[in-house]
């Protein structure tokens, strides 16, 4: 069996993140000893010593709690000796009760520390999985500056159904995907991984954006349905809303295909324009049975200095206490001149303030600024 790292042993002795709190149980032990010894014979404060290990549980590890329990027991013995009542049944019962309570407190600490270590391991695995699944977008690609933001709905979760990815092509352009997989939990994470894998494998190889969309839809439908029973085909649909973009390096435009996803926002100065395509196709996973869906490209101006914001519905459907949706279009106009990273930082804080720190759905945002043509 491998020994625990020295850091874990040291932390079990060290009083957590608040060493100053050690003053409370220590001060309690000293105060009870002094008052009990100096008080009249009919006043007994010894039973209050049980509070010392009980308080220590809240901010320290098992060893510190055990140490505080031992000090409390020693203090009770000292009180009995100084008052000449150590041999009485009352003081002996108090000592035994204090030892039992201290042991229970130590046991609680052991169980809690074990669960915290397990939770830390789970979080480490989740962080590693997220770094593989939802890889950070490049800060610079061609003439573009890019920043991304992912906010899970669950406070302790790191993964969800929202996704984004980017790829460079041989014809000097950058392709991006942002999407939102139906549902949540492991099923949504699995489908998000599937869609991201299909995009990363084909985004740089497919000659056109429509062919890439056909590939993603076919790959998604095949993988999510190949093991499904025939009678379940029409009752348990998996799909993902998505937007595919192709941004040429040397043309002031952006080409996009929308598959049931909220439209991007184009910021030019303080003016915000939603890029609503004339044709919005069905979400990924709802394509034709033989891949015959015809995807239409929509082209919009995207000049130097412009800022493009991609987002999932977790942003615009976030509600405050009064049930009002987050006004993304209004808020982003305030940050139009900001760097993409600064804009997303401001958006993150403002969105959390709007929902009072609790999102009901995962949210993802990508900000892209064109620096030149």
């Amino acid at each position: 069996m491998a020994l625990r790292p020295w850091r874990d042993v040291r932390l079990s002795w060290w009083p957590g993140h608040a060493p100053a709190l050690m003053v409370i149980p220590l001060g309690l032990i000293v105060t009870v000893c002094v008052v009990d010894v100096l008080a009249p014979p009919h006043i007994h404060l010894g039973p209050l010593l049980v509070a010392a290990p009980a308080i220590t549980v809240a901010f320290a590890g098992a060893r510190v709690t055990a140490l505080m329990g031992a000090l409390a027991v020693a203090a009770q013995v000292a009180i009995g000796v100084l008052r000449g009542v150590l041999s009485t049944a009352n003081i002996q019962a108090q000592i035994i009760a204090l030892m039992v309570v201290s042991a229970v407190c130590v046991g609680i600490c052991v169980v809690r520390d074990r669960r915290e270590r397990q939770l830390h391991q789970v979080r480490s695995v989740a962080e590693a999985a997220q770094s593989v699944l939802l890889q950070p977008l490049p800060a610079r690609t061609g003439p573009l500056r890019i920043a991304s933001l992912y906010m899970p709905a669950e406070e302790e979760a790191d993964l969800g159904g929202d996704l984004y990815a980017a790829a460079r092509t041989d014809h000097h352009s950058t392709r991006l995907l942002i999407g939102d997989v139906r549902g949540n939990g492991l099923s949504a994470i699995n489908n998000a991984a599937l869609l991201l894998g299909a995009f990363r494998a084909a985004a740089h190889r497919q000659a056109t954006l429509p062919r890439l969309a056909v590939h993603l839809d076919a790959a998604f439908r095949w993988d999510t349905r190949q093991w499904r029973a025939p009678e379940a085909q029409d009752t348990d649909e998996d799909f993902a809303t998505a937007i595919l973009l192709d941004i040429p390096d040397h043309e002031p435009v952006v080409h996009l295909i929308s598959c049931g996803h909220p439209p991007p926002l184009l910021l030019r100065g303080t003016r915000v324009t939603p890029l609503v395509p004339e044709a919005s196709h069905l979400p990924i996973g709802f394509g034709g049975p033989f891949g015959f869906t015809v995807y239409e490209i929509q082209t919009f101006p995207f000049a130097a200095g412009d800022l493009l914001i991609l987002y999932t519905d977790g942003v615009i459907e976030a509600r405050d206490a009064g049930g009002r949706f987050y006004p993304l279009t209004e808020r982003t106009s305030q940050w139009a001149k900001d760097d993409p990273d600064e804009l997303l930082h401001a958006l993150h804080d403002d969105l959390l303030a709007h929902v009072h720190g609790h999102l009901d759905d995962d949210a993802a945002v990508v900000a892209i600024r064109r620096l030149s043509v």
Side-chain angles (χ1 to χ4, degrees):
M1 180 182 295
L3 294 177
R4 286 194 303 157
W6 164 247
R7 178 177 178 273
D8 290 345
V9 176
R10 177 175 60 83
L11 287 178
S12 66
W13 283 95
W14 189 248
H17 299 289
L21 294 179
M22 287 290 290
V23 175
I24 299 175
L26 288 173
L28 177 64
I29 292 174
V30 172
T31 302
V32 170
C33 284
V34 173
V35 175
D36 205 308
V37 170
L38 299 179
H42 65 278
I43 296 178
H44 301 281
L45 298 182
L48 292 178
L49 289 170
V50 74
I55 292 174
T56 308
V57 171
F59 58 84
R63 287 177 172 81
V64 175
T65 302
L67 176 61
M68 204 59 61
L71 290 176
V73 171
Q76 187 70 279
V77 172
I79 291 173
V81 171
L82 293 174
R83 301 192 66 166
V85 293
L86 184 60
S87 60
T88 64
N90 183 44
I91 195 69
Q92 291 177 1
Q94 291 181 25
I95 292 174
I96 293 173
L98 184 55
M99 294 174 64
V100 171
V101 172
S102 298
V104 171
C105 290
V106 171
I108 292 173
C109 278
V110 170
V111 174
R112 182 198 62 194
D113 291 348
R114 183 182 295 119
R115 291 185 179 275
E116 287 181 350
R117 287 194 296 271
Q118 292 173 346
L119 180 59
H120 176 72
Q121 292 174 351
V122 170
R123 288 176 178 173
S124 298
V125 171
E127 290 173 0
Q130 184 189 35
S131 66
V132 174
L133 176 61
L134 200 61
Q135 298 175 3
L137 298 182
R140 180 73 182 264
T141 171
L144 307 178
R145 284 284 304 276
I146 302 178
S148 58
L149 170 66
Y150 177 77
M151 302 173 64
E154 298 294 335
E155 185 177 355
E156 302 297 339
D158 291 306
L159 298 171
D162 288 12
L163 57 96
Y164 47 71
R168 287 289 291 174
T169 68
D170 293 334
H171 52 277
H172 305 293
S173 72
T174 299
R175 285 180 175 170
L176 294 108
L177 163 71
I178 187 166
D180 184 1
V181 174
R182 170 186 176 270
N184 49 43
L186 292 178
S187 175
I189 294 172
N190 178 71
N191 290 338
L194 165 64
L195 192 56
L196 286 169
F199 175 83
R200 289 167 181 155
H204 63 286
R205 293 190 295 107
Q206 297 297 334
T208 65
L209 212 56
R211 289 184 59 181
L212 176 59
V214 169
H215 171 81
L216 295 183
D217 181 77
F220 189 87
R221 285 187 292 109
W222 171 254
D223 198 273
T224 56
R225 301 179 188 180
Q226 60 176 325
W227 307 118
R228 188 180 300 166
E231 59 272 13
Q233 293 294 324
D234 296 327
T235 60
D236 185 22
E237 294 291 355
D238 292 308
F239 64 88
T241 65
I243 282 187
L244 286 168
L245 300 97
D246 189 278
I247 305 176
D249 290 351
H250 306 298
E251 296 181 59
V253 296
V254 54
H255 308 294
L256 67 84
I257 292 176
S258 175
C259 299
H261 200 78
L265 299 180
L266 179 68
L267 280 68
R268 179 170 295 168
T270 57
R271 179 183 175 187
V272 181
T273 305
L275 301 186
V276 181
E278 295 179 1
S280 182
H281 304 282
L282 292 174
I284 299 294
F286 282 162
F290 303 103
F292 292 155
T293 302
V294 177
Y295 290 96
E296 298 182 18
I297 295 179
Q298 303 290 312
T299 301
F300 297 93
F302 187 39
D306 289 351
L307 184 68
L308 192 63
I309 297 180
L310 316 176
Y311 56 93
T312 58
D313 58 10
V315 178
I316 56 175
E317 293 181 0
R319 298 173 183 262
D320 63 10
R324 293 179 292 271
F325 291 114
Y326 181 71
L328 179 63
T329 302
E330 298 175 11
R331 301 297 173 85
T332 51
S333 63
Q334 308 172 27
W335 311 311
K337 296 182 180 180
D338 291 352
D339 179 82
D341 288 299
E342 296 174 353
L343 183 147
L344 292 190
H345 181 75
L347 176 60
H348 172 273
D349 294 344
D350 192 57
L351 181 58
L352 286 183
H354 180 80
V355 298
H356 301 286
H358 178 72
L359 285 170
D360 292 327
D361 191 11
D362 299 334
V365 188
V366 177
I368 310 162
R369 186 178 295 280
R370 180 185 282 277
L371 301 178
S372 62
V373 179

